[in-house]
Amino acid sequence: MTQSLIFDMDGTLFQTDKILEISLEDTFNHLRSLNKWDTVTPIDKYRQIMGVPLPKVWETLLPNHNNEEREQTDAYFLEKLVRNIRSGKGALYPNVKEVFTFLKEHNCSIYIASNGLSAYLKAIVSYYNLDKWVTETFSIQQIESLSKSDLVRSILKKYDITNAAVVGDRLSDINAAKDNGLISIGCNFDFAQEDELSQAEIVIDDLIELKAILPKLENMYLTNK
């Protein structure tokens, strides 16, 4: 049976934490220089909502700013993120490439479904040569609803996938699996929250665990039907 795994990017494959704080600090320093921010950078608040689409991020972090200011901030932040990725300040989680190699050797198709923007995802995929393993990377920008569930559904439809698991660290990933009748694999990594992970069918502490889980997925697919 051909299997498919759909991975989240931030906090699952890519250690966003390594570039998040410096990029956010740069962005809010920029706002301070424009006299549009006069307090501390809300890094903790961002950590709490990590995984939601960026438009909703800026609604939360900049509640008193207008949409134009949020869009300008979003563009500046994206520029800083991409620059930090290309300068090598980020990192993949341990064992990503080893696991991807294993999955491909076992006839498994790999996709990425992320709430990140296309330019950001492209920078990561390009810098780490992930397209060597990944069939296609999908951004939330491709879906009008900004719903991870709808994004995953579009992957299933495009590639005629019936058996798959969604691998991610946040509730949006777990719900994307459930809403599409897929298996949910929660990643207990940096941004994960215990109450969200409790809703996943499987929880892992390291991506290397997928090597042992893969043979068990076929029976789980049959159980889920």
Side-chain angles (χ1 to χ4, degrees), residues 75-177:
Y76 188 91
F77 181 58
L78 177 61
E79 179 185 327
K80 291 298 179 181
L81 285 172
V82 170
R83 185 175 300 178
N84 285 322
I85 292 165
R86 290 174 176 167
S87 64
K89 292 181 180 177
L92 298 176
Y93 276 96
N95 304 311
V96 168
K97 293 186 176 182
E98 179 181 344
V99 168
F100 276 9
T101 299
F102 175 86
L103 293 176
K104 294 299 286 186
E105 289 173 348
H106 288 76
N107 198 33
C108 185
S109 298
I110 301 169
Y111 305 88
I112 294 173
S114 171
N115 281 334
L117 300 182
S118 298
Y120 167 72
L121 298 173
K122 185 177 180 180
I124 297 173
V125 170
S126 175
Y127 187 83
Y128 297 101
N129 297 312
L130 295 183
D131 51 6
K132 176 179 178 181
W133 302 276
V134 177
T135 301
E136 188 172 351
T137 298
F138 292 78
S139 164
I140 200 68
Q141 277 184 296
Q142 298 168 236
I143 297 295
E144 187 175 348
S145 66
L146 298 182
S147 163
K148 178 67 80 73
S149 295
D150 290 345
L151 185 62
V152 167
R153 189 170 297 115
S154 72
I155 299 173
L156 303 181
K157 183 177 180 180
K158 179 173 182 176
Y159 287 96
D160 195 25
I161 297 168
T162 54
N163 299 306
V166 177
V167 184
D169 64 317
R170 299 306 303 264
L171 187 60
S172 60
D173 305 302
I174 296 167
N175 284 340

Side-chain angles (χ1 to χ4, degrees), residues 45-59:
K45 184 176 288 188
Y46 195 178
R47 290 176 188 276
Q48 292 170 12
I49 61 173
M50 190 71 187
V52 304
L54 276 174
K56 298 194 179 298
V57 166
W58 300 117
E59 287 176 15

